[in-house]
Amino acid sequence: MAQKGKKVMVTVRKPPHGSIYVQESIEVMFIFATYEMDLSVVFLDDGVLALHPGQDTKELGIKGFMASLGALVDWEVTNVYADRQSLKDRGIAEDAIIAIGKDDDSGAPIHPRVLDAAEIAAMMAAQHSIVSF
Amino acid sequence: MAQKGKKVMVTVRKPPHGSIYVQESIEVMFIFATYEMDLSVVFLDDGVLALHPGQDTKELGIKGFMASLGALVDWEVTNVYADRQSLKDRGIAEDAIIAIGKDDDSGAPIHPRVLDAAEIAAMMAAQHSIVSF
Amino acid sequence: MLHTVNKSLFQNGALENCLRLARDGDAILLLEDGVYAAAAGTVKSSLIEQAVKRFAVYAIEADLKARGLGNLIKEVRVASYGDFVDLVEKYPVHAWL
Amino acid sequence: MLHTVNKSLFQNGALENCLRLARDGDAILLLEDGVYAAAAGTVKSSLIEQAVKRFAVYAIEADLKARGLGNLIKEVRVASYGDFVDLVEKYPVHAWL
Amino acid sequence: MIISILVLEGPYNHEASDSAYNFIQAALAKGHAIRGIFFYDDGVYNVTRLMDPPQDDRHISRRWSELGATGIDMVVCIAAAKRRGITNEVLAPNIRISGLGQLASMIHESDRIVTFGD
Amino acid sequence: MIISILVLEGPYNHEASDSAYNFIQAALAKGHAIRGIFFYDDGVYNVTRLMDPPQDDRHISRRWSELGATGIDMVVCIAAAKRRGITNEVLAPNIRISGLGQLASMIHESDRIVTFGD
C-alpha cells in the first residue's frame, strides 16, 4: 500500500477527567492503530496527568477510561511517549507512571517511554500528520 | 416586592470572540436588568478584553456583540465595573475603554468604572448571588 | 465567600486570579481539574501552600481519587459533595470558571 | 513545522508550551484568542518579542481586527487566511489546543 | 436552604454536568430544596433525549429527566438552545424550554445559586 | 495540495468552526482540494439541522451543508455523536455519520490535516 508507514502522531495535552478530550483521543489511537500508519502518541503538558498512578473515577459516577489507557499495547498502540519536564513539573516520578500493557512473554508491565523536549520536538518535526487533543 | 434590591452580580472573565461566553453573559445582563435586582457587572481578568477599543468582527464573518455592549446603559445595566490591574496587564489604557452608552442629557459617553481589586472584592462579598462567565 | 476553582493550575490562571481577589477568611474549594492545585511536590504547590495561611482550602475527594492524588499539601481539607453543600450554606459562591 | 496557538496567553499556558518545543526556523501562527500575544505593551509581550528572534510569527488579521488590536509587536507578520493556507502548504501543522 | 443551579457546559465533554449532579444529590440528601436547574451556554446540550452513551456509562439527560420528575424545575434557555439546535423536537421529558427570566426568578426565590461550567 | 480538516468544538460556542470555515474558503480559493472535514468531540454539534440562530448571524450547519453539496466529504464521528445526541434524525443534508476510520482515511489521502478546537 502506498500509504503504509505514513507517520502520524497523536498529542495529548489536556488533563484527564475534567473534560473528555483524553478519553476521545484514546478512541482515536485505537482506530489509527488498525490502519496502515506509523503511529506515535505523545503525552505532554497537562496530558501527562493521564499517566498519574492510582486514578479511580468510580466515586465521580463516571465510567472513565483508565481500562482503555492500560490496554493501549493490546490495541497495538506501542509507540507511546511522555514528556520528562511535564512529569517533573507535576510531581510525577518517571518510574511511577501507569502501565499501558504487558509484555506478551514475560508479563512485565510496559510503560510509556519518557523523553526530553528536544527528542519530542524532533519526532514531531518528522511526522506527516499530527492530530492534537 | 420582597425581592426588590437583592444584590446580584455578573462577572465576565473570559476573552471575547474566541468563545461565546461574553456574548451570552450580555444577554443575561439585559434580562436581569428588567427584574427587580440591584445588578452589578464586573469585567476582570481576560473579561476586560471585551472593553478593548476598536473591535470589529466583520471580517470573521460573525455578528459579534459590540453593539449590545455599547448599549448596556440603554438596557438599564448601569453599574458596570472593570478591574484596574487586568486592564494594565493587557496594555489597555483606562481612558481608552469602550463606552457602554451615552448620558441622556449631555450625550457624553458613559464608560465602565475602573476599580482596584480590593474594591471589587468588597463588592463581591456583599452580593446575594453571583453568576460567572 | 466561597470561591470555586475547577481548572488545572498548570495550564490556566484561574486559581491565581482567585487568590488575587479572595479576602482573609474566605474559603476556596478546588474541584474537577482544580484539585491538581492540592498536590504536594509540584512546581506550583507553593500557590496553595501560601494560600492555606489566609484561607480555608478544600478539595473534592471524588475528584482527587479520580486523578490519583493522595500526596496532598497537608493543610488542604478533603471534602465530600456534602461538605461542598455545607460550604455553600455558609457562604455565597463565586465560580472562577 | 507550523505551530498554531489559539488561546489567550494571559490565562492559558499554550503559547509557552509551544515555545518550549518549537525549533529554530519553525513558524508560529496566532489565531482566535491567541492573537492577544501579538499585542505590544502588555505584561506578556516579552514572550513574542523573544520568540520573533527564533521563529517566524504570524497573526490572523481578521482575529486582530475582531479584538481591536492594532499596536502590535513589530516583527509579527499580519496574515490572511490565504497566508495561513500557504503556511500549511509549506509545513506540517501542530495545533496547541 | 433553597438552592438553584446554573449549568454552562454540555454533557460528557466537561465535568460540569457531573459536578452539578453530584452536588445536587448531596444537597437533597441533606434536606435542602432545589428551586431549579438552569441550562445555559453549551449547557443546553444536556437535555436532548437523543443521547445514547455506552451501556456501562451514565446517561446524563435521563438523570436530569429523573430529577425533573421529582418536581425540580428544569429549564433550558431558549435563545442559547435555538442557535445550538436544541428544540422541543429533541427535548427529554420533565424539562422545559423558556427564557432567561426564569434564571432571574430562580435567583429571586433561592438563598444561593451555584454555577458549574468550564 | 490535498487538505483535510478536523473540527473538535461545537458551533457558536467556540471560534473553531468559524476559523475552520474561513480557512477552507481560503484554501478553495487558492485551488487546493479539501479531501474531507471530520467532526469529533463537541465538533459533532456542528451538523444539526435544528439550529436556528438569529437572522442576522451566520447559520453554521447550513454553511457545512453547502460545502457538502460541492462534493466535500463531511463526516461526523458516530461514537462522539451518539453520546451527545446527534443522530440521523437531526442531521443536516450532505453530511454523513460514520466511524473514526474515516478520519484515518482522510489522513491517508491528504497532504495535510489541520485541527481546529479549543
Side-chain angles (χ1 to χ4, degrees):
Chain A
M1 251 172 106
Q3 298 90 352
K4 177 147 183 162
K6 195 172 261 200
K7 292 177 82 67
V8 176
M9 180 181 280
V10 175
T11 59
V12 181
R13 296 184 50 256
K14 296 229 167 65
H17 313 305
S19 59
I20 203 172
Y21 301 102
V22 179
Q23 177 175 340
E24 294 196 325
S25 76
I26 294 169
E27 296 175 14
V28 167
M29 297 168 201
F30 282 1
I31 298 294
F32 279 15
T34 68
Y35 279 71
E36 298 290 329
M37 288 178 174
D38 177 3
L39 177 66
S40 305
V41 170
V42 178
F43 291 87
L44 78 161
D45 301 326
D46 273 355
V48 301
L49 295 166
L51 307 177
H52 202 292
Q55 298 173 72
D56 181 356
T57 60
K58 196 169 61 244
E59 271 189 36
L60 280 187
I62 73 179
K63 180 190 173 189
F65 50 87
M66 298 317 296
S68 303
L69 202 54
L72 284 175
V73 172
D74 295 342
W75 288 75
E76 309 288 336
V77 181
T78 52
N79 299 317
V80 181
Y81 307 94
D83 174 57
R84 175 162 284 128
Q85 186 68 46
S86 302
L87 289 168
K88 185 162 184 278
D89 287 350
R90 289 159 185 80
I92 306 172
E94 292 183 19
D95 59 4
I97 62 177
I98 63 167
I100 53 171
K102 283 179 187 168
D103 185 273
D104 272 346
D105 300 324
S106 68
I110 297 171
H111 297 274
R113 201 170 139 209
V114 179
L115 298 180
D116 288 325
E119 295 172 283
I120 293 172
M123 201 183 292
M124 286 177 75
Q127 301 300 312
H128 177 274
S129 295
I130 310 179
V131 173
S132 51
F133 292 91
Chain B
M1 252 172 106
Q3 298 90 351
K4 177 147 183 161
K6 196 172 261 200
K7 291 177 82 69
V8 176
M9 180 182 280
V10 175
T11 59
V12 182
R13 296 184 50 256
K14 297 230 168 64
H17 312 306
S19 59
I20 203 174
Y21 301 103
V22 180
Q23 178 175 338
E24 294 195 326
S25 77
I26 294 168
E27 295 175 15
V28 167
M29 297 169 201
F30 282 1
I31 298 294
F32 279 15
T34 68
Y35 280 70
E36 297 291 328
M37 288 179 174
D38 178 2
L39 176 67
S40 304
V41 170
V42 178
F43 291 89
L44 77 162
D45 303 325
D46 273 356
V48 300
L49 294 166
L51 308 177
H52 201 292
Q55 299 173 72
D56 181 355
T57 59
K58 195 169 62 243
E59 271 188 36
L60 281 187
I62 74 179
K63 180 189 173 191
F65 50 86
M66 298 318 296
S68 303
L69 202 54
L72 284 175
V73 171
D74 295 343
W75 287 76
E76 308 289 337
V77 181
T78 51
N79 298 318
V80 181
Y81 307 94
D83 174 57
R84 177 162 285 126
Q85 186 69 46
S86 302
L87 289 168
K88 185 163 182 278
D89 287 349
R90 289 159 185 78
I92 306 172
E94 293 184 19
D95 59 4
I97 61 177
I98 62 167
I100 54 170
K102 282 181 188 168
D103 185 272
D104 271 347
D105 300 322
S106 69
I110 298 171
H111 298 273
R113 203 173 135 205
V114 179
L115 298 179
D116 289 325
E119 295 172 283
I120 292 172
M123 202 183 290
M124 286 177 77
Q127 301 300 311
H128 177 275
S129 296
I130 309 178
V131 173
S132 51
F133 292 91
Chain C
M1 281 201 71
L2 173 66
H3 304 269
T4 64
V5 177
N6 73 337
K7 294 290 187 309
S8 164
L9 80 168
F10 301 112
Q11 194 64 12
N12 185 287
L15 177 61
E16 288 168 86
N17 299 155
C18 166
L19 293 172
R20 188 168 68 87
L21 259 74
R23 311 204 306 170
D24 288 349
D26 282 358
I28 296 174
L29 177 76
L30 307 170
L31 78 161
E32 303 175 4
D33 291 337
V35 299
Y36 286 115
T42 81
V43 73
K44 293 265 197 174
S45 292
S46 64
L47 270 183
I48 291 295
E49 285 163 2
Q50 293 303 312
V52 293
K53 299 175 185 170
R54 295 181 54 207
F55 314 112
V57 178
Y58 300 83
I60 291 285
E61 181 166 29
D63 282 315
L64 291 167
K65 286 184 176 167
R67 290 159 183 82
L69 300 180
N71 180 21
L72 305 182
I73 294 162
K74 71 170 190 295
E75 295 85 355
V76 172
R77 309 170 198 197
V78 175
S80 65
Y81 289 104
D83 296 331
F84 185 0
V85 172
D86 292 345
L87 287 167
V88 166
E89 189 166 19
K90 192 168 169 192
Y91 307 99
V93 197
H94 182 246
W96 295 80
L97 301 177
Chain D
M1 283 200 69
L2 173 65
H3 303 269
T4 64
V5 177
N6 73 336
K7 295 291 187 310
S8 164
L9 80 167
F10 301 112
Q11 193 65 11
N12 186 286
L15 177 61
E16 287 168 87
N17 299 154
C18 166
L19 292 172
R20 187 168 69 85
L21 259 74
R23 311 205 304 171
D24 287 349
D26 283 356
I28 296 173
L29 176 76
L30 306 170
L31 77 162
E32 304 176 1
D33 291 337
V35 299
Y36 287 115
T42 81
V43 73
K44 294 264 196 174
S45 292
S46 62
L47 271 183
I48 291 295
E49 285 163 0
Q50 294 303 312
V52 293
K53 298 176 184 169
R54 296 181 54 207
F55 314 111
V57 178
Y58 301 82
I60 291 286
E61 181 166 29
D63 282 314
L64 291 166
K65 285 185 177 168
R67 291 159 182 81
L69 300 180
N71 180 21
L72 305 182
I73 294 162
K74 72 170 189 295
E75 295 86 354
V76 172
R77 308 170 198 195
V78 175
S80 65
Y81 289 103
D83 296 330
F84 185 1
V85 172
D86 292 344
L87 287 167
V88 167
E89 188 167 20
K90 192 167 169 192
Y91 306 99
V93 197
H94 183 246
W96 294 80
L97 301 177
Chain E
M1 144 179 81
I2 304 171
I3 310 171
S4 286
I5 303 292
L6 177 59
V7 178
L8 298 179
E9 294 295 330
Y12 305 106
N13 208 76
H14 289 279
E15 199 186 329
S17 296
D18 297 290
S19 297
Y21 184 79
N22 290 331
F23 177 87
I24 290 162
Q25 292 297 343
L28 293 171
K30 283 179 172 276
H32 298 294
I34 305 293
R35 161 64 184 81
I37 305 176
F38 195 86
F39 298 96
Y40 192 51
D41 289 339
D42 267 7
V44 303
Y45 292 126
N46 275 278
V47 304
T48 169
R49 61 172 172 76
L50 298 179
M51 64 178 72
D52 184 15
Q55 290 293 326
D56 53 352
D57 204 356
R58 77 272 191 219
H59 192 302
I60 291 182
S61 69
R62 195 171 297 152
R63 287 199 312 206
W64 294 128
S65 285
E66 286 163 4
L67 274 180
T70 69
I72 294 174
D73 191 17
M74 314 287 287
V75 184
V76 182
C77 172
I78 188 164
K82 274 185 81 165
R83 62 163 64 91
R84 290 175 179 82
I86 297 294
T87 66
N88 280 313
E89 205 175 327
V90 299
L91 194 64
N94 310 317
I95 299 168
R96 64 196 181 96
I97 298 178
S98 187
L100 277 167
Q102 297 299 312
L103 174 61
S105 296
M106 286 183 192
I107 291 174
H108 271 320
E109 297 165 18
S110 301
D111 300 305
R112 294 280 188 267
I113 179 148
V114 187
T115 306
F116 294 90
D118 174 47
Chain F
M1 141 180 82
I2 303 171
I3 310 171
S4 286
I5 303 291
L6 176 60
V7 178
L8 299 178
E9 294 294 331
Y12 305 106
N13 208 76
H14 289 279
E15 200 185 329
S17 296
D18 298 289
S19 297
Y21 184 80
N22 289 332
F23 176 87
I24 290 162
Q25 293 296 343
L28 293 170
K30 283 180 173 275
H32 298 295
I34 306 293
R35 161 64 184 82
I37 305 176
F38 195 86
F39 298 96
Y40 192 52
D41 288 337
D42 267 7
V44 303
Y45 292 126
N46 274 277
V47 303
T48 170
R49 62 171 172 77
L50 298 178
M51 64 176 72
D52 184 15
Q55 291 292 325
D56 53 352
D57 204 356
R58 77 273 192 219
H59 192 302
I60 290 183
S61 69
R62 194 172 297 152
R63 287 199 312 206
W64 294 127
S65 285
E66 286 163 5
L67 273 181
T70 69
I72 294 173
D73 190 17
M74 315 287 286
V75 183
V76 181
C77 172
I78 187 164
K82 274 186 82 166
R83 62 165 62 92
R84 291 176 179 80
I86 297 295
T87 66
N88 280 314
E89 204 175 327
V90 299
L91 193 65
N94 310 316
I95 299 168
R96 64 195 179 99
I97 297 178
S98 186
L100 277 167
Q102 297 298 312
L103 174 61
S105 296
M106 286 182 191
I107 291 174
H108 271 318
E109 296 165 18
S110 300
D111 299 304
R112 294 281 188 266
I113 178 148
V114 187
T115 305
F116 294 91
D118 175 46

